[in-house]
Amino acid sequence: MAHLRFQALQEVLRRQPAEVKYPSTKISDYFGINVFDKQIMQKYLSMEAYRSVQKSIEKGTRIDRKMADEVAAGMKAWATERGATHYTHWFHPLTDATAEKHDAFIELSDSGTVIENFSGSRLVQQEPDASSFPSGGIRNTFEARGYTAWDPSSPAFIVDNTLSIPTIFVSYTGEALDHKTPLLKSMAAIDKAATEVCLYFDRSVTRVSPTLGAEQEYFLIDDALFHARPDLVLTDRTLMGHASAKDQQLEDHYFSSIPERVSAFMKDYEIEAYKLGIPVKTRHNEVAPNQFECAPIFEEANLAADHNLLLMDLMNRVAKRHNFRVLFHEKPFAVVNGSGKHCNWSLVTNNGINLLAPGKTPRTNLLFLTFLVNTIKAVHEYADLLRATIASAGNAHRLGGNEAPPAIMSVFLGAKVSEMLDLIEQNVTDRKMTPDEKSELKLNIGKIPRILLDNTDRNRTSPFAFTGNRFEYRAVGASSNIAAPITALNTAVADQLVKFNGEVKALMRKKVKKDEAIFQVLRKYIIESKPIRFEGNNYGEEWLKEASRRKLSNILDIPESMDAYLSEKTIGLFDRQGVLDKRELEGRNEVRLEIYTKKIQIEARVLGDLAINHILPTAIKYQSDLVENVRGLKDVFDEAEFREIASARLDRIREISGHISAIKAKVREMVEERKKANRVENIRERAGLYSRQVYPYLELIRDHIDHLELIVDNETWPLPKYRELLFVR
Ligand code: ADP
Ligand code: MG
């Protein structure tokens, strides 16, 4: 039988782009048709029920039983008209995935007949059998009771005949077991803190929400090739593979034309996304071959996080129709770029003011400056926490690697904004500003938008970059649930704004005028947070040295970087802001360490298996062929000639032997290290052993295999090579 590798290649060459039909040329004709949104609600609910849902969305008030019954009935009527037969509470457990359990809309009546029903109580709350979701020891399995509760701020939607109701997931004792609960709490915290600060400038502000636009990067691999790579199937990444002679050096993939099959896939999932009300807008090729990006228009953070998860799910499903696999892993291929999920983040008021957009008048400039500087200060203060929330086995390959934001947190502002902050700083240290200078400075600030709109000031190496009217948190991994990093960011900024408010009030009590007080506090923050600001190349050697001079942390070890999640400082922060308590943080960290450990464990097993059962037999076979060949040469040539001819071949045989022995030995050692680590009870210690003692073997073993790949007969190599995975389509 020919290798799966060659069968797969033949299959790929026969592929044709699928035909995709648009439901209509106008997206607005079908945008959101599968969503129980405001307009549909108005049609299916009484005015009273509609208002109670809206009030709950805006003010976080509870919806009473009677209203819930009505909403449930309306939802069911709409959903069944659209062909839904089942419903599910859709939630985000602590794995980076979504969970759902489908129930039919039926109940037994007293007389034993089946009736269609969906009551308010089933809409509002459910008890999934959730014992096998990770909780980090918060629930023991025997009291594995957790419940899901309706989140009215994210509208219900229909996928595949199932009405999906976004919910939070909490334990019976009230601890959050999901990503959504703390995100919603962090949004409440920042709403409260930011609204109070806004009142210095604008009395009409009653609400502030974080906005979020997540640019999703991903790789596409043909289904047949994917299945011929057991490492991709089981670990989402290639554990071996020599670099292709050509990969991204020519930079010819970025923004170039999209291949037909890929573009059919994109159109197809975009149509599905629009039906679900996900405003996807931008699609393009990314830097690496077969790497792409999809960016939606930003939305309020909770909705954006839900939509990102839904989008990933959708892409996975639609890809199958096009014989593709989507790889969301942060680093599916060595050497070429990895994938991130750039989180564009800002704050918007109820009257539509983007608090990170530089305004035109002195007043709005000071408002802008206030939110800009407080965000920088928060990132400086909680850099380690922000780093901890994006740490994962997959993202480890990006953070600190040479082509992605490094593990050192820093903020890029661009020349103009930097200059402005420097000016304010100098004026403090050198002399006091005159009132004229101050208003001039404020006016100067007003000139920024025009300059920034040129968009020339981009720094693609910064983990946290100001991009003119928002921050772009670039270090977030492509596969992760963005709720966790955004929760940390919201909470840190909320806490910072509370501090700011307190300091301004204290000065005002000392009779310092309001604007002057704000200025003074901001100046102080600009100076204090200066070490986090960096405008240069984050990938360069110099930055490593400079960052260490500035005492910024650069933790490369993943379990160690996660420790910041449980520091006194973090516990205090989340506690003060009412987002997560100590027990919840401990539970979460345990889950994260557990997932990290298991991922490395699986990778180690898969690599061991492939090395022993796929690679070694292939290498040994080729080696025997060479040995056979040398024997033949010996028969044909006389001694002197044979020596000359065979010497290169003998070297090859030795080289192959060397790799074979090394692979055998290292796989054995790796298994031993795994056994040692597995005997360690404490999860933090175990994770540390996996990271320090097991993980390095993955690289060592791979190195030998990749060398063999270059030597061994191409005809017999069992796994699709990088040049095939990345270029054959
Ligand atoms: P680039 O790749 O150049 O960074 P994209 O156009 O791919 O830019 O993505 C920019 C993202 O930033 C989009 O999702 C966009 O909606 C989002 N964005 C724009 N303004 C804001 C804002 N005020 N708050 C949050 N996200 C925003
Ligand atoms: Mg982009």
Side-chain angles (χ1 to χ4, degrees):
M1 194 188 90
H3 274 306
L4 210 48
R5 172 178 161 221
F6 293 108
Q7 288 176 20
L9 285 168
Q10 276 169 1
E11 224 170 297
V12 179
L13 293 173
R14 282 196 300 268
R15 300 260 197 241
Q16 292 297 322
E19 216 186 304
V20 178
K21 280 205 195 73
Y22 284 102
S24 155
T25 45
K26 268 166 62 197
I27 293 167
S28 57
D29 285 346
Y30 58 99
F31 188 80
I33 53 166
N34 287 335
V35 183
F36 195 65
D37 60 15
K38 269 188 184 181
Q39 277 149 17
I40 292 174
M41 254 186 240
Q42 276 171 316
K43 229 173 112 189
Y44 285 82
L45 301 182
S46 69
M47 209 37 162
E48 199 190 356
Y50 173 73
R51 286 219 180 100
S52 108
V53 176
Q54 290 312 312
K55 199 169 146 216
S56 153
I57 295 171
E58 274 153 34
K59 305 228 162 71
T61 49
R62 254 180 226 295
I63 294 172
D64 70 34
R65 247 317 120 78
K66 193 171 143 280
M67 285 302 115
D69 275 336
E70 216 188 285
V71 177
M75 256 186 208
K76 193 199 105 210
W78 166 75
T80 43
E81 270 172 42
R82 291 212 54 81
T85 51
H86 286 66
Y87 67 92
T88 181
H89 274 197
W90 183 78
F91 60 99
H92 320 151
L94 295 174
T95 56
D96 283 332
T98 59
E100 45 198 81
K101 181 185 85 174
H102 298 194
D103 283 304
F105 282 125
I106 55 164
E107 267 170 31
L108 284 182
S109 70
D110 291 343
S111 58
T113 54
V114 164
I115 51 166
E116 310 244 288
N117 193 25
F118 181 49
S119 64
S121 58
R122 289 187 191 278
L123 162 66
V124 173
Q125 192 171 316
Q126 292 247 317
E127 198 180 315
D129 172 22
S131 49
S132 43
F133 289 114
S135 73
I138 285 176
R139 295 160 311 147
N140 294 322
T141 5
F142 61 85
E143 47 142 350
R145 285 153 66 91
Y147 63 90
T148 52
W150 179 33
D151 165 22
S153 65
S154 182
F157 54 90
I158 299 172
V159 173
D160 266 354
N161 301 333
T162 298
L163 170 68
S164 300
I165 299 151
T167 56
I168 58 165
F169 180 41
V170 292
S171 77
Y172 252 73
T173 38
E175 284 95 358
L177 298 175
D178 68 347
H179 286 297
K180 192 194 255 285
T181 308
L183 176 63
L184 289 172
K185 287 183 177 173
S186 76
M187 287 171 65
I190 206 165
D191 174 19
K192 186 160 176 283
T195 303
E196 259 171 53
V197 169
C198 280
L199 294 180
Y200 286 121
F201 306 92
D202 181 349
R203 303 296 308 173
S204 70
V205 173
T206 56
R207 198 169 113 97
V208 173
S209 336
T211 51
L212 181 57
E215 303 165 52
Q216 178 72 57
E217 293 178 336
Y218 60 95
F219 278 85
L220 279 182
I221 295 297
D222 187 274
D223 212 21
L225 290 170
F226 173 84
H227 279 108
R229 289 287 309 220
D231 47 355
L232 276 180
V233 173
L234 297 174
T235 72
D236 302 324
R237 75 174 180 110
T238 53
L239 297 172
M240 59 187 74
H242 196 279
S244 165
K246 171 184 190 280
D247 44 57
Q248 63 187 42
Q249 333 59 342
L250 297 177
E251 295 179 358
D252 50 358
H253 190 250
Y254 192 53
F255 278 18
S256 66
S257 74
I258 299 172
E260 247 184 283
R261 266 183 76 204
V262 174
S263 125
F265 158 70
M266 288 174 167
K267 284 179 195 158
D268 205 0
Y269 81 69
E270 283 170 2
I271 291 169
E272 297 298 325
Y274 291 141
K275 288 184 189 165
L276 286 167
I278 306 171
V280 289
K281 187 167 168 71
T282 311
R283 53 164 113 111
H284 60 77
N285 289 0
E286 262 303 327
V287 175
N290 275 357
Q291 192 189 25
F292 307 92
E293 182 191 290
C294 166
I297 298 172
F298 70 94
E299 299 175 283
E300 183 251 2
N302 177 38
L303 200 55
D306 278 2
H307 277 167
N308 179 253
L309 286 166
L310 201 50
L311 181 69
M312 287 166 77
D313 193 43
L314 207 74
M315 288 167 75
N316 276 331
R317 277 187 291 123
V318 172
K320 293 199 186 121
R321 300 208 279 262
H322 297 260
N323 298 302
F324 278 130
R325 285 287 164 151
V326 186
L327 306 179
F328 289 117
H329 192 283
E330 283 77 10
K331 191 80 177 175
F333 304 99
V335 192
V336 299
N337 274 17
S339 301
K341 184 141 56 192
H342 303 172
C343 288
N344 294 270
W345 177 93
S346 188
L347 294 168
V348 71
T349 65
N350 55 301
N351 37 20
I353 299 164
N354 176 356
L355 295 172
L356 288 173
K360 289 193 187 68
T361 65
R363 176 110 300 190
T364 45
N365 279 327
L366 195 53
L367 175 75
F368 159 67
L369 201 57
T370 297
F371 282 92
L372 178 88
V373 171
N374 273 291
T375 305
I376 300 169
K377 183 78 164 61
V379 174
H380 180 234
E381 200 64 33
Y382 291 102
D384 286 348
L385 167 64
L386 291 174
R387 164 75 178 87
T389 58
I390 51 169
S392 69
N395 215 15
H397 300 278
R398 287 179 73 233
L399 305 171
N402 249 349
E403 33 74 15
I408 308 164
M409 278 305 287
S410 68
V411 178
F412 166 85
L413 293 177
K416 290 293 156 190
V417 179
S418 265
E419 229 169 69
M420 173 180 87
L421 298 194
D422 290 346
L423 205 62
I424 296 170
E425 180 195 334
Q426 283 155 19
N427 271 299
V428 202
T429 44
D430 299 350
R431 64 190 165 83
K432 262 192 137 336
M433 273 189 286
T434 65
D436 262 6
E437 279 176 315
K438 262 179 224 160
S439 56
E440 214 173 277
L441 181 62
K442 290 177 199 168
L443 286 172
N444 257 333
I445 298 165
K447 287 181 187 148
I448 284 162
R450 234 178 303 145
I451 302 157
L452 282 185
L453 280 180
D454 293 350
N455 240 352
T456 45
D457 240 4
R458 285 297 184 103
N459 182 333
R460 303 226 171 243
T461 67
S462 174
F464 201 89
F466 183 67
T467 50
N469 62 359
R470 61 188 186 268
F471 276 101
E472 187 175 350
Y473 189 4
R474 307 177 71 256
V476 181
S479 73
S480 69
N481 184 324
I482 50 182
I486 297 303
T487 297
L489 179 60
N490 287 343
T491 310
V493 175
D495 200 60
Q496 179 51 48
L497 289 169
V498 171
K499 263 188 220 146
F500 169 78
N501 201 6
E503 295 195 50
V504 171
K505 289 248 155 66
L507 283 176
M508 283 167 71
R509 274 197 298 276
K510 289 189 204 147
K511 300 281 174 283
V512 181
K513 285 229 181 67
K514 187 179 77 183
D515 279 7
E516 176 61 25
I518 292 173
F519 241 94
Q520 280 184 20
V521 178
L522 291 180
R523 274 195 218 117
K524 187 173 79 125
Y525 289 170
I526 289 171
I527 295 164
E528 287 170 355
S529 62
K530 208 174 179 191
I532 201 83
R533 280 163 51 197
F534 182 62
E535 301 289 303
N537 177 12
N538 287 252
Y539 303 165
E541 272 298 315
E542 303 85 74
W543 175 226
L544 288 181
K545 291 186 206 128
E546 172 64 19
S548 109
R549 268 196 294 278
R550 294 187 190 184
K551 303 209 166 39
L552 299 177
S553 42
N554 179 18
I555 306 168
L556 291 173
D557 185 68
I558 289 292
E560 189 188 335
S561 72
M562 287 179 182
D563 289 345
Y565 218 57
L566 290 181
S567 69
E568 289 290 314
K569 204 168 163 183
T570 299
I571 293 171
L573 168 74
F574 280 112
D575 182 57
R576 274 195 304 281
Q577 294 306 319
V579 173
L580 287 164
D581 65 22
K582 189 173 175 210
R583 215 164 109 79
E584 288 171 314
L585 283 169
E586 283 168 352
R588 245 148 243 267
N589 214 44
E590 199 179 309
V591 171
R592 285 155 51 86
L593 288 167
E594 195 84 54
I595 292 174
Y596 172 82
T597 307
K598 283 179 182 160
K599 286 206 168 154
I600 304 293
Q601 185 179 45
I602 293 168
E603 289 185 351
R605 283 181 181 163
V606 172
L607 183 64
D609 175 30
L610 288 179
I612 303 295
N613 297 322
H614 290 60
I615 305 303
L616 287 192
T618 309
I620 291 169
K621 168 101 190 8
Y622 182 59
Q623 191 192 32
S624 312
D625 289 351
L626 288 182
V627 170
E628 210 38 56
N629 174 270
V630 171
R631 278 214 192 92
L633 292 175
K634 196 165 189 177
D635 290 346
V636 181
F637 293 102
D638 65 39
E639 184 71 20
E641 226 176 334
F642 169 73
R643 263 178 212 288
E644 205 186 305
I645 295 173
S647 96
R649 254 159 262 222
L650 290 170
D651 283 349
R652 257 288 126 91
I653 293 170
R654 269 184 221 107
E655 194 184 347
I656 295 175
S657 291
H659 289 307
I660 291 174
S661 320
I663 290 172
K664 274 191 194 152
K666 294 211 156 65
V667 169
R668 214 179 301 120
E669 290 165 28
M670 177 171 73
V671 172
E672 279 314 308
E673 290 299 337
R674 231 161 58 210
K675 280 187 186 156
K676 265 193 242 163
N678 291 344
R679 281 196 291 269
V680 173
E681 197 51 43
N682 179 293
I683 179 63
R684 172 62 183 86
E685 270 174 52
R686 200 186 326 139
L689 287 177
Y690 264 94
S691 145
R692 289 190 315 273
Q693 310 296 340
V694 179
Y695 178 77
Y697 280 103
L698 293 175
E699 296 295 315
L700 291 173
I701 295 167
R702 172 189 190 136
D703 195 49
H704 289 288
I705 297 177
D706 290 354
H707 274 101
L708 281 175
E709 186 188 315
L710 287 188
I711 303 172
V712 169
D713 181 4
N714 182 55
E715 282 294 312
T716 59
W717 194 255
L719 305 173
K721 298 184 173 183
Y722 267 30
R723 61 166 190 255
E724 293 154 354
L725 294 169
L726 292 171
F727 288 97
V728 180
R729 54 190 172 213

